[in-house]
Every structure is written in C-alpha cells, then in structure tokens.
C-alpha cells in the first residue's frame, strides 16, 4: 500500500541464475494497470553508475524468463539513500525503463524540506522549459 494502488507483491529476494551464478533482486512486484513487472533494488548508499548495469541485467532476465505474453516489458526502480542527479541524467536511465529515487529514514527539518521541495520544483520547471524549446 506504500507504493499506491495496483501493485501486487510477487517475491522478495527473487533468485536469478545467470551463467551458473546466483543473483538476487530485492523486491519484485506486478502492477495491474501497467500490466508489467516492477523490479525494485534497495541501495544503502549513494547511487552509482554500476547500479544501472545491475538493474539492466535483472530487467533483461525478467523479460526473457518471467514476462507473460500479455505483459509489457518490465521496469525498474532503484531506491538509494542518496541520488546522483547528474549521473542519472547522463546515463539516460529513463530510456531503459529505470528510475532512481531517494528514500528517507526520517524527515529532515521543515526548513530543509521546504528548501529541497522548492529546488525540485525549480529543476522540474527548467527541464520542462528545456523540453518545450526542443519541441517547437
């Protein structure tokens, strides 16, 4: 329920055997409305570029061995203690169906939270305006 409506939990520590080696995806869900598997990796530290490669491997494996005929391609979510915005942008992860998000173990002070929310709005507005210019 923390993720919202439509998510169905499938498995924790989903085992995948690749070239005789065991790999474990932290969480696997199915989203009913999207009709696709949602792979979730939890990272204790800051996002690293290698995390993208790991998620790509998992998504390709799920696409090959777990995806049903009626389903869309799986997507991935990497939850980190700290995001690396420039790395995420340069890696163009959204094109591969991978999103990165930060999690908080506790809310920051109100002033800091307001500052971060304001900064996020400014960045979103800049991205929107940049994309609008390219469309014209």
């Amino acid at each position: 329920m923390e993720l919202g409506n439509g998510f169905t939990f499938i498995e924790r520590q989903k085992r995948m055997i690749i070239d005789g080696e065991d790999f474990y995806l932290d969480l696997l869900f199915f989203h009913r409305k999207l009709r696709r598997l949602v792979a979730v990796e939890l990272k204790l530290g800051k996002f690293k570029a290698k995390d993208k490669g790991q998620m790509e491997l998992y998504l390709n494996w799920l696409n090959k061995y777990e995806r049903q005929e009626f389903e869309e391609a799986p997507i991935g979510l990497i939850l980190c203690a700290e995001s690396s915005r420039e790395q995420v942008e340069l890696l163009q992860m959204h094109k591969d169906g991978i999103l990165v998000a930060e999690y908080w173990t506790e809310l920051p002070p109100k002033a800091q939270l307001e500052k971060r929310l304001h900064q996020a709005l400014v960045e979103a507005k800049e991205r929107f305006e940049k994309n609008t210019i390219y469309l014209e």
Side-chain angles (χ1 to χ4, degrees):
M1 297 213 355
E2 294 288 331
L3 295 172
N5 293 331
F7 281 93
T8 303
F9 175 76
I10 295 179
E11 194 168 345
R12 183 180 149 273
Q13 293 296 304
K14 170 70 178 163
R15 182 178 179 211
M16 300 175 223
I17 302 172
I18 303 168
D19 290 330
E21 190 176 342
D22 290 336
F23 292 84
Y24 295 92
L25 171 66
D26 290 330
L27 298 167
L28 182 61
F29 295 91
F30 183 79
H31 193 279
R32 294 177 61 209
K33 290 181 182 177
L34 297 176
R35 293 186 340 251
R36 60 179 61 202
L37 294 167
V38 179
V40 178
E41 267 298 294
L42 306 171
K43 302 295 180 187
L44 295 176
K46 187 174 183 177
F47 172 81
K48 296 183 174 113
K50 68 179 183 173
D51 297 334
K52 178 188 180 195
Q54 179 185 25
M55 181 58 82
E56 286 175 332
L57 178 68
Y58 293 168
L59 292 178
N60 289 334
W61 188 92
L62 290 168
N63 194 51
K64 183 174 182 179
Y65 296 109
E66 293 288 322
R67 179 178 169 195
Q68 301 293 312
E69 290 179 22
F70 66 91
E71 295 175 0
E72 300 293 329
I75 56 174
L77 174 62
I78 302 171
L79 288 174
C80 312
E82 186 180 345
S83 178
S84 303
R85 291 184 183 175
E86 189 171 14
Q87 286 185 43
V88 170
E89 180 183 335
L90 291 171
L91 290 167
Q92 299 183 357
M93 297 173 60
H94 61 283
K95 292 182 178 179
D96 298 319
I98 302 171
L99 301 173
V100 176
E102 291 181 10
Y103 63 84
W104 295 338
T105 55
E106 60 184 55
L107 286 176
K110 184 178 178 182
Q112 184 181 358
L113 183 58
E114 287 175 346
K115 182 179 177 184
R116 289 182 80 171
L117 287 172
H118 177 72
Q119 183 62 35
L121 286 172
V122 168
E123 291 173 6
K125 183 179 177 184
E126 288 172 358
R127 281 195 306 271
F128 177 76
E129 289 171 353
K130 181 180 175 183
N131 288 336
T132 303
I133 291 170
Y134 291 127
L135 293 175
E136 293 176 351

